[in-house]
């Protein structure tokens, strides 16, 4: 899907400035920045959608809301408030979506009181259905972060699959579980038999893929950070997020 | 795109893999595996990356590296098994950049030894440290559980849980501080909760060890170390001047975060404003620990612990005790949590008990009657019982305020006991005096103990009472335990009244003692009537001018100061007339020295009327008549057998009338005075004691 991303692991120097740094340094003004922002937004659509879903109590219009949010974000002006030092795209996006939703809510309330307030391009959305009676900000944040981590893994898996090409899709399907550690059920030899190659060859392939997958994940993480030195920190944070929340508990809470 | 898989659980970590999991893989394991490097060129973050697994295995052949369990600025941590001991350990590999710093090896050595000394149940123990193949490592106790940060995220952290965790952290901190080790990086990530609910602090002093990459590599040069939001202001501003109170600040931040889920940034609100269910008294503890000026914080971890434990055990606010059965705090709880007041209450109770037992013991020893016991009680209870009651009342009341709900009633009882007892004793005393008309004011018991020991004790008690009250008042302001408890106005008034009463009593008794000490102080004491005579007898006013001692001889100067009527030893007519007895009679004085244990000679020397040995200096030959007429001073001298008998001796004056035949004598009246206070010059006792042996 993304050309630059595919090269990240191979050419370290070039990506010392991340996409997010691009956006920040240009304050979203330059064409390159706009492109980068659009790309980032595309990638992290699902955490935002999950957040909006929960925030609005699974409102049927959650998708529209999310679209409206991204539309507004890409218009650009909202970036003025972001400080370059602030770092993470994840934090920025979460802050922005919260801001957007509470804005919409107050507009909706103002309208209910009779004030005719312009709707900023979301007139088609049923604002009356937003109900934010009681929400636990911390849990919502955790949900967003979890979804974020999942998106990163999802994107990385897709990228890896794409890189390997259609010719390897069967192998990929078979070997994918090995990306999260050695399989318990199957040995290298078992796989080898299935694929018609030696166990040694399977080992080498897995090693190569793991390495590449690691690079891709880290590159994805890096692309959302202002300072790539924070990659490990962000990575361990995401591990914690995944370890401490499970989707089952998250959804039943709301 | 991922293939939708039915919900299943991960074979490695047992967590449920939801439908939205990427590639149907356990996201947790996938991400963790990404973090755990097995080699190859990685993203260029250089030193921060964990060492390769192969390198590790080579460096630690005696360990079986199991998994990567943590990663951060301070290095990476692996779970590993010590194959020989079959023990699970945590292996921390410090960042490689550190090893390149000059003098690091030396610093590591020094710090490592210190950390290995920290042996405490709430501190993650260090088993070993050193260098292997260029990797600096610490081998530590493995804690099976989560850190506080994860606990925040996974479960709702209740204030009650926070209150149970904080004291344990404090305990560990206090221990380390006593050992001279500062943590310097207290944060939720470093506080571990194991599966059995134990709290353990990890990474003691590691912050110092792996401080920032400054030129000399020595953190002593003054670079700030720690985690920004958890660092005390002075840790940022003057890193070289950091003491244990910086840890207390960091602890405050963690505490605040535990209670509110937020960091105390900028002008932060008090925890109870953020979380409505919180007891407002927590605020004071938290806010105090977050004071910018370290002098205004709690001065030790122990102090924080005491405050928190106090709150958690005596939360009057039921909301604090979520799942616990509602228990009324007992007085023992109060005493345990409030040793200071409990100690004073105990002292006060001891005083009260002493004020009962002492006089009874004295009275028993001297074989005296009820009326004497009553007078002893009245006297000593005034000296000991009143301040005892006063203090007991105050401190029991404070205990009451501190959570023991019956404290007030108990203190009221304590408060009313002695005033009642004193009133009863006084009535007994007066009744006794009325029943035996000869027991006049002069029979009031004053002795050496009362003269010296009691004033000393009383003054000490008074000083102590004033001091403790003052201390209490000082303590009241910053002490959150009493913050919301106003002292009842009635109590305040009683407090004042009791104080004034005690002072007045002591002043009065001081004067009384002076008055009762003849000769030595210039204030004279009389033996006999001082006002209107009874039974129409002429006024009798024998004044004891001076009491002194020469070795074992008690010398008493008696002067007749009767004003209106001439007093002669053979003033026959007048005395008889006044007495209404008429006829040929003569009034005589007899001075009798009475005591239970007089010397054998006393019997020989005593006449029928003298029970003691009476003689005049220079003529120790036996009883003599002496002329006691108005304005004249007579010196009486008594040899005492021992000090104890001196304490029980009485000087007694009888006025007799001789009717008809000289053999018939009728006692008109008698006046007596106890003399124990008299030989107050201890020299006499000592001299006699030596002679006696």
């Amino acid at each position: 899907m993304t050309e630059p991303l595919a090269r990240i692991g191979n050419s370290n120097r070039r990506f010392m400035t991340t996409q997010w740094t691009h956006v920040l340094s240009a304050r979203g003004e330059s064409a390159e920045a706009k492109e980068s922002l659009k790309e980032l937004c595309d990638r992290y659509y699902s955490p935002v959608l999950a957040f909006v879903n929960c925030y609005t109590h699974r409102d049927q219009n959650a998708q529209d809301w999310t679209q409206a949010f991204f539309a507004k974000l890409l218009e650009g002006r909202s970036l003025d408030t972001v400080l370059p030092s602030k770092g993470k795209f994840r934090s920025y996006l979460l802050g922005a979506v919260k801001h957007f939703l509470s804005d919409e809510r107050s507009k909706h309330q103002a309208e209910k009181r009779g004030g005719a307030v312009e709707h900023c391009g979301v007139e088609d959305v049923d604002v009356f259905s937003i109900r934010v009676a009681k929400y636990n900000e911390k849990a919502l944040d955790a949900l967003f972060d979890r979804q974020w981590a999942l998106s990163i893994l999802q994107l990385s898996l897709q990228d890896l699959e794409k890189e390997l090409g259609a010719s390897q899709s069967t192998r990929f399907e078979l070997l994918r579980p090995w990306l999260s550690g050695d399989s318990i059920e199957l040995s290298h030899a078992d796989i080898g038999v299935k694929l018609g190659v030696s166990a040694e060859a399977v080992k080498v392939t897995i090693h190569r893929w793991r390495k590449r997958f690691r690079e891709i994940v880290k590159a994805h993480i890096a692309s959302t950070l202002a300072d790539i030195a924070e990659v490990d920190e962000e990575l361990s944070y995401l591990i914690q997020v995944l370890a401490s929340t499970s989707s089952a508990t998250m959804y039943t809470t709301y | 795109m991922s293939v939708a898989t039915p919900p299943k659980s991960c074979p490695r970590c047992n967590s449920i893999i939801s439908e939205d999991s990427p590639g149907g893989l356990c996201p947790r394991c996938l991400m963790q595996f990404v973090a755990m490097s097995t080699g190859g060129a990685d993203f260029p973050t250089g030193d921060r990356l964990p060492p390769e697994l192969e390198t590790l295995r080579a460096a630690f052949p005696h360990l079986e590296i199991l998994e990567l369990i943590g990663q951060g600025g301070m290095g990476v941590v692996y779970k590993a098994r010590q194959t020989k001991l079959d023990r699970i350990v945590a292996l921390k590999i410090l960042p490689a950049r550190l090893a390149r710093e000059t003098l690091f090896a030396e610093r590591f050595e020094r710090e490592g030894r210190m950390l290995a000394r920290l042996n405490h149940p709430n501190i993650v123990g260090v088993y070993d440290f050193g260098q292997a193949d260029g990797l600096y490592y610490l081998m530590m106790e493995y804690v099976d559980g989560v850190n506080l940060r994860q606990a925040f995220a996974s479960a709702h952290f209740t204030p009650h849980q926070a209150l149970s965790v904080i004291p344990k952290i404090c305990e560990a901190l206090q221990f380390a501080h006593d050992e001279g080790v500062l943590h310097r990086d207290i944060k939720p990530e470093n506080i571990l909760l194991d599966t059995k609910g134990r709290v353990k602090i990890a990474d003691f002093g590691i912050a110092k060890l792996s401080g920032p990459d400054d030129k000399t590599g020595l953190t002593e040069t003054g670079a700030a170390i720690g985690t920004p939001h958890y660092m005390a202001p002075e840790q940022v501003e003057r890193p070289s001047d950091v003491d244990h109170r910086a840890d207390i600040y960091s602890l405050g931040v963690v505490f605040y975060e535990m209670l509110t889920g937020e960091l105390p940034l900028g002008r932060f609100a008090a925890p109870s404003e953020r979380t409505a269910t919180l007891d407002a008294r927590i605020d004071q503890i938290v806010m105090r620990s977050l004071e910018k000026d370290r002098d205004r914080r709690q001065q030790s971890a122990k102090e924080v612990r005491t405050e928190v434990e106090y709150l958690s055990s005596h939360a009057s606010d039921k909301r604090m005790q979520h799942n616990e059965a509602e228990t009324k705090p007992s007085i023992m709880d109060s005493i345990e949590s409030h040793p200071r007041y409990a100690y004073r209450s105990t002292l006060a109770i001891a005083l009260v008990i002493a004020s009962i037992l002492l006089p009874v013991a004295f009275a028993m020893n001297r074989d005296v009657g009820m009326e004497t016991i009553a007078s002893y009680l009245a006297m000593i209870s005034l000296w000991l019982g009143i301040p005892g009651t006063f203090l007991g009342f105050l401190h029991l009341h404070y205990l009451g305020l501190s959570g023991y709900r019956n404290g007030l009633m108990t203190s009221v009882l304590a408060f009313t006991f002695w005033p009642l007892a004193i009133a009863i004793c006084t009535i007994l005393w007066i009744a006794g005096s009325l029943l035996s008309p000869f027991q006049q004011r002069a029979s009031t018991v004053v002795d050496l103990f009362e003269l010296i020991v009691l004033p000393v004790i009383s003054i000490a008690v008074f000083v102590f009472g004033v001091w403790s009250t003052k201390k209490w008042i000082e303590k009241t302001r910053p002490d959150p335990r009493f913050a919301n408890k106003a002292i009842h106005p009635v109590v305040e008034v009683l407090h004042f009244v009791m104080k004034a009463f005690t002072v007045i009593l002591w002043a009065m008794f001081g004067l009384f003692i002076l008055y009762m000490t003849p000769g030595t102080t210039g204030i004279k004491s009389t033996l006999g009537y001082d006002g209107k005579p009874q039974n129409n007898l002429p006024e009798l006013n024998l004044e004891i001018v001076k009491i002194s001692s020469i070795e074992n001889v008690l010398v008493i100067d008696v002067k007749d100061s009767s004003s209106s009527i001439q007093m002669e030893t053979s003033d026959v007519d007048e005395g008889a007339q006044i007495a209404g007895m008429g006829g040929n009679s003569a009034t005589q004085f007899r001075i009798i020295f009475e005591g239970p244990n007089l010397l054998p000679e006393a019997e020989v020397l005593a006449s029928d009327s003298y029970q003691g040995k009476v003689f005049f200096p220079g003529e120790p030959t036996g009883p003599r008549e002496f002329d006691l007429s108005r304005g004249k001073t007579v010196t009486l001298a008594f040899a005492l057998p021992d000090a104890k008998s001196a304490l029980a001796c009485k000087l007694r004056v009888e006025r007799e009338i001789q009717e008809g035949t000289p053999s018939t004598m009728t006692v008109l009246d008698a006046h007596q005075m106890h003399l124990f206070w008299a030989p107050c010059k201890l020299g006499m006792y000592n001299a006699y004691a030596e002679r006696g042996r």
Side-chain angles (χ1 to χ4, degrees):
Chain A
M1 97 187 213
T2 48
E3 263 308 294
L5 191 65
R7 292 199 308 266
I8 287 172
N10 307 333
S11 173
N12 299 334
R13 288 282 146 217
R14 275 173 59 189
F15 289 90
M16 292 306 277
T17 41
T18 67
Q19 280 166 303
W20 180 231
T21 350
H22 265 309
V23 178
L24 287 177
S25 58
R27 298 235 147 199
E29 293 297 315
S30 70
E32 199 182 5
K34 278 187 174 149
E35 189 50 42
S36 296
L37 183 60
K38 191 175 176 324
E39 216 166 83
L40 285 171
C41 288
D42 275 351
R43 282 184 215 156
Y44 300 105
Y45 179 85
S46 71
V48 174
L49 178 61
F51 186 87
V52 174
N53 239 327
C54 264
Y55 192 92
T56 60
H57 290 248
R58 293 179 182 269
D59 190 277
Q60 51 176 344
N61 295 314
Q63 289 237 356
D64 299 333
W65 281 107
T66 313
Q67 293 288 3
F69 163 68
F70 278 118
K72 195 186 175 198
L73 189 71
L74 291 170
E75 268 175 31
R77 282 194 301 273
S78 54
L79 274 170
D80 294 349
T81 53
V82 187
L83 296 168
S85 59
K86 269 225 163 167
K88 295 164 191 161
F89 180 58
R90 177 168 56 81
S91 318
Y92 166 71
L93 200 60
L94 179 60
V97 70
K98 277 184 189 169
H99 190 70
F100 171 80
L101 287 172
S102 73
D103 249 19
E104 288 304 317
R105 207 168 96 230
S106 48
K107 267 183 213 161
H108 149 69
Q109 277 161 355
E111 195 166 85
K112 229 166 78 173
R113 287 194 299 269
V117 177
E118 201 194 324
H119 254 177
C120 193
V122 284
E123 285 87 353
D124 51 336
V125 177
D126 178 15
V127 281
F128 295 96
S129 60
I130 294 187
R131 304 180 304 275
V132 191
K134 232 185 184 179
Y135 79 98
N136 183 331
E137 199 168 342
K138 210 159 74 178
L140 270 179
D141 289 359
L143 170 86
F144 179 84
D145 288 346
R146 177 186 161 76
Q147 211 56 45
W148 186 275
L150 291 179
S151 298
I152 284 180
L153 290 173
Q154 185 72 61
L155 289 165
S156 305
L157 278 175
Q158 284 171 9
D159 286 354
L160 182 62
E161 197 175 359
K162 211 166 266 178
E163 249 183 70
L164 296 171
S167 59
Q168 303 227 44
S169 64
T170 345
R171 279 176 106 180
F172 184 73
E173 206 55 50
L174 207 55
L175 289 178
R176 192 167 50 195
W178 295 69
L179 287 176
S180 62
D182 288 345
S183 171
I184 293 157
E185 301 106 41
L186 292 170
S187 70
H188 290 122
D190 295 336
I191 299 280
V193 169
K194 281 194 182 178
L195 294 172
V197 291
S198 71
E200 213 38 51
V202 172
K203 235 179 188 169
V204 170
T205 312
I206 289 171
H207 180 76
R208 240 182 41 234
W209 287 6
R210 277 179 182 169
K211 192 178 138 195
R212 184 65 197 137
F213 181 66
R214 190 168 298 122
E215 286 165 4
I216 294 172
V217 169
K218 288 193 174 179
H220 268 300
I221 291 174
S223 72
T224 66
L225 301 174
D227 177 9
I228 57 163
E230 287 171 2
V231 167
D232 289 333
E233 213 171 279
E234 177 79 352
L235 182 60
S236 45
Y237 174 75
L238 293 176
I239 291 172
Q240 274 177 23
V241 166
L242 288 172
S244 59
T245 57
S246 83
S247 59
T249 57
M250 291 307 304
Y251 284 115
T252 46
T253 322
Y254 298 95
Chain B
M1 191 55 215
S2 66
V3 180
T5 46
K8 57 175 185 177
S9 64
C10 171
R12 282 180 209 88
C13 67
N14 286 326
S15 61
I16 292 163
I17 302 172
S18 59
E19 286 175 30
D20 59 346
S21 299
L25 302 174
C26 169
R28 183 179 169 183
C29 293
L30 190 58
M31 195 66 104
Q32 213 150 38
F33 202 71
V34 167
M36 193 167 171
S37 176
T38 52
D42 263 304
F43 202 77
T45 46
D47 289 338
R48 291 217 166 192
L49 285 183
E52 294 169 19
L53 209 51
E54 309 308 324
T55 322
L56 274 180
R57 286 191 178 133
F60 302 98
H62 56 294
L63 290 181
E64 187 188 329
I65 309 288
L66 300 173
E67 60 175 315
L68 179 101
I69 50 179
Q71 190 171 14
M74 303 297 184
V76 283
V77 186
Y78 294 91
K79 180 181 175 181
R81 177 184 288 119
Q82 270 182 307
T83 39
K84 257 189 201 164
L85 293 168
D86 192 23
R87 169 168 77 169
I88 303 289
V89 296
L91 181 70
K92 184 174 199 109
I93 308 287
L94 297 178
R97 69 182 152 83
L98 287 176
R100 290 196 294 272
E101 290 175 11
T102 48
L103 296 176
F104 176 77
E106 189 191 314
R107 184 152 55 99
F108 183 68
E109 191 92 343
R110 198 175 56 234
E111 295 289 323
R113 283 203 189 113
M114 203 141 80
L115 299 182
R117 270 215 318 268
L118 289 184
N119 189 4
H120 189 272
N122 296 116
I123 296 176
V124 173
V126 172
Y127 295 148
D128 194 11
F129 69 98
Q131 189 196 10
D133 288 358
L135 297 173
Y136 283 95
Y137 71 91
L138 283 161
M139 200 189 290
M140 299 175 296
E141 181 186 348
Y142 174 74
V143 179
D144 183 18
V146 292
N147 67 37
L148 212 50
R149 169 80 61 220
Q150 292 161 331
F152 286 160
S154 59
H156 190 61
F157 214 79
T158 65
H160 187 71
Q161 280 169 303
L163 287 184
S164 70
V165 168
I166 288 284
K168 288 172 187 158
I169 304 174
C170 290
E171 225 171 275
L173 274 183
Q174 184 66 46
F175 175 81
H177 291 165
D178 289 345
E179 290 282 315
V181 181
L182 308 187
H183 191 293
R184 290 166 197 262
D185 194 15
I186 291 282
K187 55 181 174 180
E189 286 81 359
N190 281 338
I191 295 163
L192 311 178
L193 305 170
D194 76 2
T195 46
K196 287 175 185 157
R198 285 175 299 208
V199 181
K200 291 196 183 255
I201 306 187
D203 284 359
F204 246 100
I206 307 280
K208 189 178 179 188
L209 207 54
S210 44
D213 212 350
D214 55 311
K215 273 181 186 159
T216 63
L218 283 169
T219 48
E220 284 85 337
T221 52
I225 45 180
T227 306
H229 290 149
Y230 296 90
M231 271 159 81
E234 76 264 18
Q235 217 170 344
V236 182
E237 290 155 16
R238 308 180 303 276
S240 53
D241 178 33
V242 165
D243 64 11
H244 66 280
R245 289 171 292 185
D247 281 350
I248 289 173
Y249 181 91
S250 308
L251 177 67
V253 180
V254 173
F255 200 1
Y256 188 92
E257 205 180 354
M258 269 194 221
L259 296 171
T260 64
E262 289 163 32
L263 286 166
L265 302 173
R267 288 171 135 246
F268 54 91
S272 65
E273 289 168 36
R274 290 251 166 246
T275 310
T277 54
L278 278 183
D279 187 327
R281 286 176 294 170
I282 292 184
D283 291 353
Q284 302 208 17
I285 306 176
V286 178
M287 299 305 257
R288 204 172 143 212
S289 65
L290 290 172
E291 285 281 359
K292 290 216 164 19
D293 177 4
R294 61 185 175 189
D295 291 328
R296 297 180 65 185
R297 287 174 211 150
Q298 286 91 344
Q299 294 301 297
S300 69
K302 200 175 167 190
E303 207 178 327
V304 182
R305 183 186 152 199
T306 318
E307 290 181 0
V308 173
E309 280 184 339
Y310 171 74
L311 253 195
S312 55
S313 60
H314 295 98
S316 61
D317 188 345
K318 292 299 175 310
R319 287 171 298 190
M320 293 296 302
Q321 303 180 339
H322 272 293
N323 302 317
E324 287 185 10
E326 189 185 315
T327 48
K328 190 175 175 179
S330 70
I331 192 161
M332 280 319 288
D333 290 341
S334 295
I335 286 171
E336 276 161 21
S337 66
H338 250 90
R340 194 168 58 221
Y341 298 125
Y343 152 70
R344 289 182 200 161
S345 302
T346 313
L347 185 90
I349 290 163
L351 283 180
V352 171
I353 292 172
S355 71
I356 302 168
L357 291 182
L358 273 178
V360 171
F362 266 75
M364 302 281 270
N365 195 30
R366 284 186 206 163
D367 195 19
V368 290
M370 252 322 284
E371 110 279 344
T372 317
I373 294 178
S375 66
Y376 271 119
L377 280 174
M379 175 72 82
I380 299 183
S381 66
L382 280 173
W383 285 101
L384 286 180
I386 295 275
T389 306
F390 169 57
L391 282 173
F393 164 66
L394 264 184
H395 294 304
L396 277 172
H397 179 65
Y398 298 151
L399 268 182
L401 281 184
S402 72
Y404 173 59
R405 316 241 169 99
N406 296 329
L408 193 63
M409 272 312 294
T410 316
S411 58
V412 167
L413 279 178
F415 168 62
T416 47
F417 178 77
W418 266 110
L420 276 177
I422 289 163
I424 291 165
C425 285
T426 312
I427 290 165
L428 277 177
W429 182 36
I430 291 166
S433 300
L434 290 175
L435 287 174
S436 49
F438 301 138
Q439 310 277 323
Q440 298 298 325
R441 179 200 44 166
S443 71
T444 306
V445 176
V446 183
D447 71 4
L448 188 75
F449 177 78
E450 288 152 309
L451 191 70
I452 298 168
V453 182
L454 275 189
V456 170
I457 291 180
S458 307
I459 289 165
V461 166
F462 180 70
V463 169
F464 177 76
V466 171
W467 172 81
S468 59
T469 312
K470 220 173 174 174
K471 274 274 169 198
W472 176 73
I473 289 164
E474 280 169 15
K475 275 272 166 189
T476 305
R477 227 161 297 132
D479 191 339
R481 290 171 288 198
F482 294 122
N484 297 339
K485 297 272 186 182
I487 296 177
H488 198 276
V490 174
V491 174
E492 265 181 288
V493 171
L494 284 177
H495 188 143
F496 175 75
V497 169
M498 283 303 293
K499 238 177 184 168
F501 182 50
T502 313
V503 170
I504 291 166
L505 266 178
W506 278 333
M508 278 168 53
F509 270 80
L511 288 175
F512 183 68
I513 291 288
L514 289 177
Y515 177 71
M516 292 302 288
T517 311
T520 51
T521 57
I523 296 172
K524 286 165 185 155
S525 182
T526 52
L527 191 62
Y529 297 126
D530 202 5
K532 274 186 181 171
Q534 289 182 341
N535 305 333
N536 296 324
L537 281 174
E539 183 196 13
L540 172 67
N541 199 352
L542 287 181
E543 191 179 304
I544 293 177
V545 180
K546 190 182 173 190
I547 297 177
S548 55
S549 62
I550 305 162
E551 294 207 327
N552 65 325
V553 177
L554 186 65
V555 182
I556 304 167
D557 292 344
V558 183
K559 186 184 173 190
D560 178 17
S561 307
S562 309
S563 53
S564 56
I565 295 153
Q566 195 186 9
M567 286 288 162
E568 299 277 340
T569 42
S570 56
D571 188 0
V572 181
D573 300 325
E574 211 176 9
Q577 278 164 11
I578 291 165
M581 299 192 177
N584 189 18
S585 60
T587 311
Q588 284 190 340
F589 288 119
R590 288 204 301 163
I591 295 182
I592 303 158
F593 188 59
E594 290 176 340
N597 295 309
L598 295 179
L599 286 174
E601 306 94 271
E603 288 166 26
V604 179
L605 295 168
S607 70
D608 52 353
S609 62
Y610 291 97
Q611 291 173 26
K613 188 161 106 179
V614 178
F615 65 98
F616 299 95
E619 287 178 90
T621 47
R624 268 186 58 161
E625 287 184 5
F626 52 91
D627 182 19
L628 184 64
S629 53
R630 191 163 50 169
K632 219 169 161 188
T633 302
V634 172
T635 301
L636 306 169
F638 306 95
L640 296 168
D642 56 44
K644 196 183 168 193
S645 64
L647 288 175
C649 284
K650 275 188 281 191
L651 190 64
R652 186 174 150 92
V653 176
E654 287 179 357
R655 235 187 324 191
E656 292 174 330
I657 191 155
Q658 197 175 8
E659 290 176 75
T661 57
S663 59
T664 320
M665 304 287 282
T666 306
V667 176
L668 287 177
D669 62 355
H671 308 275
Q672 63 179 5
M673 181 183 263
H674 283 274
L675 289 172
F676 348 110
W677 45 265
C680 57
K681 289 170 185 166
L682 284 168
M684 179 201 159
Y685 284 95
N686 296 337
Y688 198 82
E690 277 162 29
R691 253 181 66 160
R693 280 181 195 111

